[in-house]
Protein backbone atom coordinates (compact mmCIF):
# COMPACT_ATOMS: atom_id res chain seq x y z
CA UNK A 1 0.00 0.00 0.00
CA UNK A 2 1.45 3.41 -1.00
CA UNK A 3 2.43 5.79 1.76
CA UNK A 4 -0.16 8.52 2.42
CA UNK A 5 1.12 11.97 1.42
CA UNK A 6 1.96 14.31 4.31
CA UNK A 7 0.49 17.29 2.47
CA UNK A 8 -2.60 17.90 0.41
CA UNK A 9 -2.60 19.33 -3.08
CA UNK A 10 -4.30 22.46 -1.71
CA UNK A 11 -1.54 22.90 0.88
CA UNK A 12 1.13 22.68 -1.81
CA UNK A 13 -0.70 25.29 -3.93
CA UNK A 14 -1.18 27.59 -0.94
CA UNK A 15 2.51 27.39 0.01
CA UNK A 16 3.52 28.11 -3.60
CA UNK A 17 1.05 31.03 -3.76
CA UNK A 18 2.43 32.49 -0.53
CA UNK A 19 6.04 32.13 -1.72
CA UNK A 20 5.13 34.00 -4.90
CA UNK A 21 3.20 36.62 -2.97
CA UNK A 22 5.88 37.24 -0.36
CA UNK A 23 9.14 36.68 -2.25
CA UNK A 24 8.43 36.83 -5.99
CA UNK A 25 8.33 34.57 -9.01
CA UNK A 26 11.97 33.49 -8.71
CA UNK A 27 10.96 31.56 -5.56
CA UNK A 28 8.26 29.61 -7.36
CA UNK A 29 10.41 26.49 -7.74
CA UNK A 30 9.96 22.90 -6.58
CA UNK A 31 12.99 23.25 -4.29
CA UNK A 32 11.64 26.42 -2.61
CA UNK A 33 8.13 24.99 -2.24
CA UNK A 34 9.59 21.82 -0.72
CA UNK A 35 11.78 23.85 1.62
CA UNK A 36 8.77 25.94 2.74
CA UNK A 37 6.89 22.70 3.45
CA UNK A 38 9.88 21.36 5.40
CA UNK A 39 10.27 18.57 2.86
CA UNK A 40 12.00 17.66 -0.38
CA UNK A 41 10.55 18.41 -3.79
CA UNK A 42 8.46 15.22 -3.67
CA UNK A 43 5.24 16.85 -2.37
CA UNK A 44 5.20 19.03 -5.49
CA UNK A 45 5.60 16.12 -7.86
CA UNK A 46 3.17 13.93 -5.94
CA UNK A 47 0.36 16.20 -7.13
CA UNK A 48 1.79 17.95 -10.19
CA UNK A 49 3.35 16.47 -13.30
CA UNK A 50 5.72 19.42 -13.61
CA UNK A 51 6.24 22.97 -12.35
CA UNK A 52 4.06 24.39 -15.13
CA UNK A 53 1.11 22.45 -13.72
CA UNK A 54 1.76 23.90 -10.25
CA UNK A 55 2.10 27.40 -11.73
CA UNK A 56 -1.28 26.97 -13.44
CA UNK A 57 -2.82 25.99 -10.10
CA UNK A 58 -1.22 29.05 -8.48
CA UNK A 59 -2.64 31.14 -11.34
CA UNK A 60 -6.13 29.84 -10.49
CA UNK A 61 -5.53 30.80 -6.86
CA UNK A 62 -4.59 34.33 -7.98
CA UNK A 63 -7.77 34.48 -10.09
CA UNK A 64 -9.75 33.88 -6.88
CA UNK A 65 -8.00 36.87 -5.30
CA UNK A 66 -8.80 38.96 -8.38
CA UNK A 67 -12.45 37.93 -8.31
CA UNK A 68 -12.65 39.12 -4.69
CA UNK A 69 -11.34 42.53 -5.77
CA UNK A 70 -13.90 42.79 -8.57
CA UNK A 71 -16.77 41.74 -6.28
CA UNK A 72 -15.68 44.42 -3.82
CA UNK A 73 -15.67 46.99 -6.64
CA UNK A 74 -19.31 46.19 -7.39
CA UNK A 75 -20.22 47.62 -3.97
CA UNK A 76 -19.11 51.11 -5.07
CA UNK A 77 -20.19 53.64 -7.67
CA UNK A 78 -19.03 54.11 -10.30
CA UNK A 79 -18.23 50.39 -10.56
CA UNK A 80 -15.98 50.86 -13.58
CA UNK A 81 -13.73 53.29 -11.72
CA UNK A 82 -13.51 51.05 -8.67
CA UNK A 83 -12.40 48.10 -10.79
CA UNK A 84 -9.44 50.28 -11.81
CA UNK A 85 -8.84 51.42 -8.26
CA UNK A 86 -8.83 47.82 -7.03
CA UNK A 87 -6.41 46.75 -9.76
CA UNK A 88 -4.09 49.54 -8.62
CA UNK A 89 -4.60 48.41 -5.00
CA UNK A 90 -3.45 44.94 -6.07
CA UNK A 91 -0.27 46.48 -7.49
CA UNK A 92 0.26 48.42 -4.26
CA UNK A 93 -0.64 45.70 -1.73
CA UNK A 94 0.45 42.59 -3.66
CA UNK A 95 3.14 43.73 -6.12
CA UNK A 96 4.51 40.22 -6.71
CA UNK A 97 1.07 38.87 -7.61
CA UNK A 98 0.43 41.87 -9.86
CA UNK A 99 3.75 41.39 -11.64
CA UNK A 100 3.11 37.66 -12.05
CA UNK A 101 -0.28 38.25 -13.67
CA UNK A 102 0.27 41.46 -15.61
CA UNK A 103 3.98 41.92 -16.24
CA UNK A 104 5.35 38.59 -17.47
CA UNK A 105 6.40 38.29 -21.09
CA UNK A 106 3.81 36.60 -23.24
CA UNK A 107 4.72 33.73 -25.55
CA UNK A 108 2.45 35.21 -28.18
CA UNK A 109 2.20 38.92 -28.71
CA UNK A 110 -1.44 39.88 -28.80
CA UNK A 111 -2.79 42.60 -31.00
CA UNK A 112 -4.42 45.63 -29.44
CA UNK A 113 -7.98 44.27 -29.30
CA UNK A 114 -6.93 40.77 -28.16
CA UNK A 115 -5.06 42.35 -25.28
CA UNK A 116 -7.85 44.62 -24.05
CA UNK A 117 -11.06 42.85 -24.94
CA UNK A 118 -10.97 39.47 -23.28
CA UNK A 119 -13.78 37.73 -21.48
CA UNK A 120 -16.91 38.77 -19.71
CA UNK A 121 -15.29 41.58 -17.71
CA UNK A 122 -14.54 43.61 -20.82
CA UNK A 123 -17.88 42.67 -22.42
CA UNK A 124 -19.71 43.81 -19.29
CA UNK A 125 -17.60 46.97 -19.08
CA UNK A 126 -18.39 47.85 -22.68
CA UNK A 127 -22.13 47.39 -22.08
CA UNK A 128 -21.94 49.39 -18.86
CA UNK A 129 -20.18 52.25 -20.66
CA UNK A 130 -22.63 52.15 -23.57
CA UNK A 131 -25.65 52.29 -21.28
CA UNK A 132 -24.32 54.77 -18.73
CA UNK A 133 -22.88 57.29 -21.17
CA UNK A 134 -24.93 56.62 -24.32
CA UNK A 135 -21.86 55.54 -26.29
CA UNK A 136 -21.63 53.42 -29.40
CA UNK A 137 -19.87 50.07 -29.03
CA UNK A 138 -16.83 51.50 -30.85
CA UNK A 139 -16.71 54.51 -28.50
CA UNK A 140 -17.10 52.29 -25.43
CA UNK A 141 -14.25 50.03 -26.63
CA UNK A 142 -12.02 53.07 -27.16
CA UNK A 143 -12.88 54.45 -23.72
CA UNK A 144 -12.24 51.07 -22.11
CA UNK A 145 -8.85 50.72 -23.77
CA UNK A 146 -7.81 54.26 -22.78
CA UNK A 147 -8.97 53.67 -19.19
CA UNK A 148 -7.04 50.37 -19.12
CA UNK A 149 -3.85 52.05 -20.39
CA UNK A 150 -4.07 54.72 -17.68
CA UNK A 151 -4.89 52.21 -14.93
CA UNK A 152 -2.18 49.80 -16.04
CA UNK A 153 0.41 52.58 -16.25
CA UNK A 154 -0.31 53.75 -12.71
CA UNK A 155 -0.31 50.16 -11.41
CA UNK A 156 3.02 49.31 -13.07
CA UNK A 157 4.66 52.42 -11.61
CA UNK A 158 3.41 51.48 -8.14
CA UNK A 159 4.30 47.76 -8.40
CA UNK A 160 7.85 48.68 -9.42
CA UNK A 161 8.28 51.39 -6.75
CA UNK A 162 8.72 54.05 -9.44
CA UNK A 163 6.02 56.30 -7.95
CA UNK A 164 3.67 56.33 -5.05
CA UNK A 165 0.24 57.88 -5.34
CA UNK A 166 -2.25 58.69 -2.62
CA UNK A 167 -5.75 57.26 -2.96
CA UNK A 168 -6.98 60.76 -3.80
CA UNK A 169 -4.33 61.14 -6.52
CA UNK A 170 -5.34 57.80 -8.05
CA UNK A 171 -9.02 58.68 -8.00
CA UNK A 172 -8.37 62.07 -9.60
CA UNK A 173 -6.06 60.68 -12.29
CA UNK A 174 -8.56 57.99 -13.26
CA UNK A 175 -11.44 60.49 -13.34
CA UNK A 176 -9.56 63.07 -15.39
CA UNK A 177 -8.41 60.51 -17.92
CA UNK A 178 -11.83 58.86 -18.17
CA UNK A 179 -13.85 62.05 -18.54
CA UNK A 180 -11.30 63.62 -20.87
CA UNK A 181 -11.48 60.70 -23.30
CA UNK A 182 -15.27 60.35 -22.88
CA UNK A 183 -15.83 64.03 -23.65
CA UNK A 184 -13.51 63.83 -26.64
CA UNK A 185 -15.44 60.83 -28.00
CA UNK A 186 -18.84 62.44 -27.45
CA UNK A 187 -17.79 65.72 -29.08
CA UNK A 188 -16.45 64.16 -32.31
Amino acid sequence: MPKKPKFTKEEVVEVAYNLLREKGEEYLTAREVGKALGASTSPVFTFFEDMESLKKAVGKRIENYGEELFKEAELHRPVFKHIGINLIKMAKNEPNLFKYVFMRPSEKKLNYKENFFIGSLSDNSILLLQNEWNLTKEQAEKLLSEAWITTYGIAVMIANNVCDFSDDDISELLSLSFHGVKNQLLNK
Side-chain angles (χ1 to χ4, degrees), residues 125-141:
S125 296
I126 289 166
L127 284 172
L128 181 87
L129 292 170
Q130 284 180 276
N131 294 332
E132 191 168 342
W133 300 102
N134 198 28
L135 300 171
T136 66
K137 183 174 183 186
E138 183 180 275
Q139 289 172 321
E141 286 176 349

Side-chain angles (χ1 to χ4, degrees), residues 7-20 28 33 37 43-44 47-48 53-62 64:
F7 306 99
T8 66
K9 183 176 185 178
E10 292 75 22
E11 288 172 323
V12 173
V13 171
E14 195 63 22
V15 164
Y17 170 83
N18 285 322
L19 274 172
L20 171 64
L28 194 52
V33 172
L37 287 165
V44 172
F47 299 108
F48 299 97
S53 300
L54 175 58
K55 288 178 180 182
K56 283 181 183 174
V58 170
K60 288 283 186 202
R61 174 68 176 81
I62 295 169
N64 294 340

